[in-house]
Amino acid sequence: SYLMQIKWLAALTLVFFMYGTVSAADEVKIYFHPEKITLQPGDTGALTLFVENISPVYGVELGFGFDPDIVEVTADTDEKKNGVQLEDGEFFGHKKSMTLQNQADNITGTIDYVKTLLNPASPMQGSGQLVKVTLKAKQTGTASFRITKVKFGTQKGSVIVPTYQAELSILVSDRFIDTVDKKKLLIIAVIALLLIAGIILLLRRRKNRNKPL
């Protein structure tokens, strides 16, 4: 039956990721956007994982780690499933596909995600969004959201493991001064002082013009 074919394909995909021929892909870039997030307790923020310059692939396996005492994953994209899931990116999401694993654990601070295309979909290549994560700040502190695993699978059973150093910094603070970049704050202060000085100079010139001769 069709359901049995889907289950067989899912199992085969997992076998590919576990035992397929592994090749490195130094030219592939894996990165987060934005590079850092600043929140106040109770606020939410979104981050997206991107891939660039990937050769034709048919699926992806991702693993993430985060500090569960500081932040938690809040996006729940499938009401039929227990727990919290990530939001699919457009790289695989717009074609016929299946999500084999999509689970965030806010106790251990781990996320597992596996997605594969389904026949007759053609492989994907190039660049695009892989997944989107929504985080909620629980308490003040500095945390990180990091990649622990990235594997791409091909239709022929090969596994592509790109090099990566993707780690996103998260600052949770209840003070406004900590939510503004210090360099930007300095620039704003300088501009404000220049504007005030200009207004004072303009007023003095007008006052001098209005004095009787």
Side-chain angles (χ1 to χ4, degrees):
S1 64
Y2 179 73
L3 181 58
M4 289 298 297
Q5 291 178 355
I6 293 297
K7 291 182 178 180
W8 178 85
L9 178 60
L12 185 61
T13 301
L14 289 175
V15 171
F16 281 164
F17 279 124
M18 294 176 63
Y19 303 108
T21 303
V22 178
S23 61
D26 295 336
E27 72 279 2
V28 179
K29 183 179 180 181
I30 303 290
Y31 65 95
F32 286 120
H33 179 78
E35 295 181 353
K36 62 180 180 178
I37 297 178
T38 302
L39 301 171
Q40 291 183 323
D43 289 348
T44 59
L47 62 94
T48 304
L49 183 70
F50 286 84
V51 61
E52 284 187 2
N53 302 321
I54 188 72
S55 57
V57 291
Y58 220 66
V60 66
E61 179 182 8
L62 301 171
F64 302 97
F66 60 96
D67 301 315
D69 293 334
I70 307 298
V71 294
E72 64 181 1
V73 180
T74 62
D76 193 349
T77 58
D78 192 339
E79 296 179 354
K80 297 180 181 180
K81 295 181 179 180
N82 295 326
V84 182
Q85 297 89 45
L86 307 186
E87 181 179 342
D88 293 330
E90 48 82 19
F91 189 73
F92 290 111
H94 70 281
K95 288 196 172 187
K96 190 175 182 180
S97 60
M98 170 181 284
T99 302
L100 304 177
Q101 194 170 11
N102 186 356
Q103 188 71 41
D105 190 328
N106 284 320
I107 297 177
T108 61
T110 57
I111 302 174
D112 295 302
Y113 179 91
V114 180
K115 192 174 188 68
T116 181
L117 296 174
L118 297 175
N119 190 52
S122 56
M124 290 297 301
Q125 63 179 331
S127 307
Q129 302 173 359
L130 293 175
V131 292
K132 181 179 179 180
V133 187
T134 301
L135 299 173
K136 182 177 180 180
K138 298 171 63 176
Q139 64 178 359
T140 58
T142 302
S144 65
F145 191 92
R146 53 201 173 273
I147 295 176
T148 58
K149 182 189 300 182
V150 179
K151 293 182 180 180
F152 291 93
T154 70
Q155 279 184 301
K156 296 182 179 180
S158 298
V159 176
I160 300 174
V161 181
T163 57
Y164 60 88
Q165 293 180 341
E167 182 171 312
L168 179 140
S169 177
I170 304 169
L171 173 64
V172 181
S173 174
D174 55 3
R175 294 181 298 171
F176 175 77
I177 188 67
D178 288 334
T179 66
V180 181
D181 186 273
K182 292 183 179 179
K183 291 183 179 180
K184 293 182 180 179
L185 186 62
L186 179 61
I187 293 174
I188 293 173
V190 171
I191 293 175
L193 290 174
L194 291 175
L195 287 174
I196 293 173
I199 293 173
I200 293 174
L201 181 61
L202 180 61
L203 291 176
R204 286 180 177 177
R205 287 182 177 179
R206 288 183 177 180
K207 185 177 181 180
N208 293 332
R209 289 177 182 176
N210 294 332
K211 285 183 179 181
L213 299 175

